[in-house]
Amino acid sequence: MVTTSSLPALSDIPEVLPGVLRIENSDKDATTPIIMDMLRSVYPHDQIFGEYCPVQAYIAAPPREVYEYLADTRSLEEWSYSLRGFVETDEPGLWLAHDRLGSETEIFTRTVAHPEAMTVDYHCAWDQGQHLWMIYLLRVVDAQVVFNKPGSVVLWVNCKHPFYDENPYPETAPPKRPVWVGDFWDMFSAGHQLEMDNLKAICEYRAAHGLPIKPDWMK
Amino acid sequence: MITPPHHDTSGLPPVSLVDVSSYLPGEPVGTEYFTQFARSDRMAKNVMFRSPKGRHHVARDETAVDMVERAVAPLIERHGEDAIADVDVLITHTQLPDNPVLGCGPEVARRLGIRPSFAYDVHNGGCAAFVHMMAMARMVLQTTTARTALIAATQNCAGPVFTQTDIRKLAQAPVPGDGCGVGLLRKDDSAPILDIECRTYPEFAGDMDFSTNGERKYWEPGEGQGCVSFTESKVTKVFARGNRLVPEVALAVCDRIGVKGSEIDAFVTNQPNRLFLRNWHDALELPPERHPDTFDACGNLFAAGIPVTLDVENRAGRLANGSLVLMSAFAHAGDFAGAAAVRWGAAR
């Protein structure tokens, strides 16, 4: 059945918005060449990772268990590259660890997880636990739904908060520390992929050997 | 993906691409020829914008053999009749065979007055046929007493197919051009082939159709105009494959000969459209000037694109002896791709 739109789409905007391509103002013959032009053999690193850092992986382990593992802040003690020595602070749910990327560097983490959506957001900051501005957004997806096979897909995105460029709380930094977390932004895509590979290897080992994905010591 | 076996030829005698030559039929045909048939002003504008500025069309009675003979003529001038008479390996690729049941090799041999011990007409190298034929010629030269090979890539479907009354209205009709490019190979180290990579991708076979746009088989009488086509759903898949395949085989050759893509002096590919050209030199981190093309003057020359462009560049004095020339191309819908590196030695 051919229908024309009955919803009052864009009725609040009296003109065609520049940069908005819809089939009404740019038909398929006009739009296809635009899309073809956007496809490349290689993409500039900055275009892919400039303001965002997406990494993703398939993990051969049950999604609910992978979610529950990630939702425990202490899992970072295992699959992160450099966060070590997690202890809970006096403030419930706020954990303190050391980021061994920087000497004497404390990192604070609060995990916000939603079991229905299987989202796990780590809200972190170096040096102080008052303003947790480094946000790691993770989502676990049932691979059965997206790949038609058992297992998990983990999507992980970081957005480049302006504080990555400049430490907003220099007074909380340890004296003479030579680096700032944002100095590593251009390595985040590779560094996070490395950590994602850690996560995959750990979860897949446990799944293949009949071990609980979330180890007993975290329970 | 399974890595294809590389046929290490380091213990075998060197083979050189000692010269190239080419032929373009007739006067250039302007894009206006096609825009007059466009179904709308908008399409005409689009055609003007995306098409090559010119292309050559083979004459109705000009055969693939004619084209090869004309492309070889400068080689005879430069190397002497004896050099061509000595050819003992002849390999031809013809886009649209004049006689669909037999190849043109023996007739090319008759026209050139040669008696090759090995004559092959190959039809599966597509736009990468020049590299495909280099690989075959090198194999024969390295493993037999044969000393000289002539390879010929003929693209002759632009005039006959893409000017048919139904086909010339299509947006893709102005893109192909006709031409022929030939290469002379010899068992010596004067302009050595440093490495060749040829890969067949069976998983991508069958994604390109030849149909009469009707019920009729092409050999049956009746309505409908024959043309090569991709289904709409395959066009972007083929585009994405092409984006990947040409740099992939090119960089495989670079890896083995120990150079970076950015160190290539001249990168010569097949030339289906401007987007591929941009994407491929971007992938090798080369400036456009080191990725010469004949697209605007000749359109998509299919298999002849590599040798014609090499010849144009060489005649313009832009290929210095000793420079590193890398050829790379993919065929059809991606069922074949090949790359070859040569230490140039045919400078003029």
Side-chain angles (χ1 to χ4, degrees):
Chain A
M1 189 175 75
V2 178
T3 58
T4 53
S5 176
S6 57
L7 299 177
L10 298 181
S11 55
D12 60 321
I13 300 173
E15 57 206 318
V16 173
L17 274 183
V20 175
L21 292 187
R22 306 173 77 237
I23 196 145
E24 291 84 354
N25 70 350
S26 178
D27 65 18
K28 208 151 138 282
D29 284 350
T31 310
T32 301
I34 296 170
I35 290 171
M36 298 294 265
D37 192 57
M38 293 164 76
L39 299 176
R40 304 294 184 109
S41 293
V42 291
Y43 297 84
H45 181 91
D46 193 57
Q47 188 182 326
I48 301 300
F49 298 111
E51 296 296 306
Y52 303 92
C53 178
V55 294
Q56 50 273 320
Y58 166 80
I59 297 177
R64 180 59 55 185
E65 292 186 49
V66 170
Y67 162 77
E68 280 165 6
Y69 174 59
L70 286 172
D72 192 309
T73 307
R74 290 168 298 177
S75 69
L76 292 165
E77 183 88 26
E78 296 190 330
W79 66 272
S80 77
Y81 172 70
S82 59
L83 308 188
R84 296 296 180 266
F86 277 87
V87 289
E88 195 163 14
T89 64
D90 296 338
E91 204 180 310
L94 182 67
W95 290 75
L96 168 65
H98 289 275
D99 189 343
R100 289 167 62 177
L101 278 180
S103 54
E104 307 295 318
T105 295
E106 293 182 325
I107 184 165
F108 292 84
T109 305
R110 180 184 297 283
T111 300
V112 180
H114 296 282
E116 295 81 11
M118 292 203 287
T119 58
V120 179
D121 302 340
Y122 301 117
H123 296 240
C124 312
W126 271 18
D127 306 331
Q128 49 79 34
Q130 307 307 307
H131 183 175
L132 301 177
W133 57 271
M134 297 162 56
I135 319 288
Y136 298 64
L137 307 168
L138 285 82
R139 178 176 177 187
V140 182
V141 180
D142 186 344
Q144 195 65 52
V145 179
V146 291
F147 281 146
N148 198 31
K149 64 178 181 180
S152 311
V153 170
V154 178
L155 311 174
W156 171 11
V157 181
N158 268 56
C159 301
K160 193 181 176 197
H161 193 286
F163 293 173
Y164 281 115
D165 281 333
E166 195 164 354
N167 183 358
Y169 307 106
E171 67 284 0
T172 63
K176 292 184 186 167
R177 182 179 59 198
V179 294
W180 172 236
V181 61
D183 298 343
F184 303 105
W185 175 263
D186 290 324
M187 293 167 64
F188 270 29
S189 56
H192 287 186
Q193 189 64 55
L194 180 147
E195 292 182 312
M196 183 69 102
D197 294 345
N198 288 348
L199 176 69
K200 178 179 168 74
I202 292 165
C203 291
E204 290 187 346
Y205 180 92
R206 286 184 176 142
H209 289 77
L211 300 168
I213 304 300
K214 182 173 171 174
D216 290 338
W217 68 263
M218 280 167 55
K219 286 173 183 163
Chain B
M1 168 187 153
I2 299 164
T3 307
H6 174 244
H7 307 287
D8 186 0
T9 58
S10 52
L12 296 169
V15 170
S16 292
L17 177 67
V18 296
D19 208 351
V20 292
S21 183
S22 66
Y23 163 73
L24 297 167
E27 291 299 311
V29 176
T31 301
E32 304 75 31
Y33 170 81
F34 293 97
T35 52
Q36 64 179 314
F37 304 119
R39 286 163 296 180
S40 66
D41 283 355
R42 198 185 74 177
M43 182 183 163
K45 248 186 230 167
N46 196 30
V47 163
M48 287 305 285
F49 178 63
R50 300 205 171 258
S51 303
K53 293 188 177 72
R55 78 282 296 137
H56 293 259
H57 283 166
V58 67
R60 182 167 174 80
D61 294 321
E62 191 170 19
T63 66
V65 174
D66 295 334
M67 292 175 75
V68 174
E69 185 181 24
R70 285 159 191 164
V72 170
L75 290 183
I76 296 173
E77 262 173 48
R78 289 197 286 274
H79 298 267
E81 289 193 7
D82 288 351
I84 301 303
D86 284 347
V87 162
D88 29 29
V89 183
L90 173 65
I91 310 179
T92 65
H93 166 92
T94 308
Q95 183 64 30
L96 187 68
D98 292 295
N99 180 331
V101 300
L102 59 93
C104 69
E107 202 186 334
V108 167
R110 178 166 60 87
R111 202 74 76 81
L112 297 176
I114 62 178
R115 302 192 77 85
S117 307
F118 306 88
Y120 302 122
D121 294 297
V122 294
H123 205 52
N124 60 321
C127 293
F130 197 74
V131 171
H132 187 222
M133 290 189 288
M134 280 174 67
M136 287 182 72
R138 183 176 67 153
M139 181 167 66
V140 178
L141 295 180
Q142 285 179 324
T143 56
T144 70
T145 56
R147 297 197 51 79
T148 308
L150 181 69
I151 61 176
T154 304
Q155 151 51 15
N156 56 346
C157 73
V161 173
F162 288 90
T163 60
Q164 295 176 95
T165 52
D166 288 348
I167 307 299
R168 66 193 180 188
K169 299 174 192 164
L170 304 177
Q172 64 266 35
V175 177
D178 289 328
C180 177
V182 296
L184 185 64
L185 292 86
R186 201 175 284 147
K187 187 152 55 183
D188 67 23
D189 63 356
S190 59
I193 297 169
L194 303 174
D195 214 323
I196 302 184
E197 178 81 12
C198 285
R199 296 183 183 176
T200 298
Y201 299 87
E203 62 272 35
F204 303 143
D207 285 352
M208 193 180 83
D209 288 330
F210 183 89
S211 86
T212 59
N213 298 293
E215 291 299 304
R216 172 176 81 81
K217 300 289 186 190
Y218 79 83
W219 59 88
E220 293 173 337
E223 297 290 304
Q225 300 181 0
C227 192
V228 166
S229 63
F230 302 102
T231 59
E232 197 177 359
S233 67
K234 288 286 193 288
V235 168
T236 46
K237 277 191 177 175
V238 172
F239 189 65
R241 271 175 216 159
N243 276 342
R244 178 168 63 80
L245 290 174
V246 168
E248 198 167 277
V249 287
L251 291 171
V253 167
C254 286
D255 275 352
R256 279 203 304 273
I257 64 174
V259 300
K260 292 182 188 145
S262 57
E263 293 166 348
I264 300 300
D265 295 306
F267 181 48
V268 181
T269 62
N270 64 315
Q271 296 161 25
N273 59 51
R274 297 178 206 277
L275 295 181
F276 273 131
L277 289 163
R278 175 198 69 188
N279 294 348
W280 291 336
H281 60 244
D282 281 356
L284 265 77
E285 298 180 59
L286 286 171
E289 57 270 22
R290 278 197 272 155
H291 183 199
D293 69 80
T294 47
F295 184 77
D296 252 340
C298 300
N300 178 9
L301 285 170
F302 296 64
I306 287 177
V308 167
T309 305
L310 283 173
D311 185 40
V312 167
E313 286 298 290
N314 202 33
R315 279 187 283 125
R318 288 190 289 263
L319 296 180
N321 278 347
S323 61
L324 183 56
V325 174
L326 181 65
M327 304 159 218
S328 185
F330 83 104
H332 315 129
D335 59 28
F336 180 76
V342 171
R343 186 64 66 189
W344 198 250
R348 281 193 271 294

